[in-house]
Amino acid sequence: MAFPLPQPMRRALDLAAEAARAGEVPVGAVITRGHEVIATSANAMRGTADPTAHAEIVAIRAAAAALGAERLRDCDLWVTLEPCAMCAGAIAHARIARLYYAAPDPKGGAVAHGPRLFAQPTCHHRPEIYCGIGESEAAILLRDFFAARR
């Protein structure tokens, strides 16, 4: 029996699909506090000519601006792909409480793969981590996106 996705991950996947249609790598992110959506975003590196405009970074910036604080202690981040080292670092600095991600990224991920940033003794904040929520849909979006470009 399949369970429906939590609304924030459903929204993140919809944002990822929109990003793909815009020619961006299909990654979407949503930041919530309780049941309230604080910020949403998708990858925007090509459209903004900004290599740091990953969905997570854009969402963290928007949430910090919306809340008027650099610490997002009571917030959760929902993202369609395992965060890279840059995004994992930003998650730690922002003090995100919980990280939910859909698809693992063995090549560029930094949570369960690569540097495993949150497991490092020098990491000053470790969010609770939940993975695999919406994994198959996120993986299909990514696979189709890159297959069309080969």
Side-chain angles (χ1 to χ4, degrees), residues 24-78:
E24 299 279 356
V25 173
V27 178
V30 173
I31 294 181
T32 59
R33 185 169 61 180
H35 295 290
E36 179 185 3
V37 172
I38 305 299
T40 65
S41 66
N43 271 356
M45 294 159 309
R46 289 186 174 145
T48 60
D50 178 356
T52 69
H54 290 199
E56 302 96 309
I57 299 293
V58 176
I60 288 169
R61 288 175 181 158
L67 297 174
E70 75 279 9
R71 302 284 192 243
L72 305 176
R73 291 184 198 279
D74 299 324
C75 294
D76 300 337
L77 172 61
W78 302 77

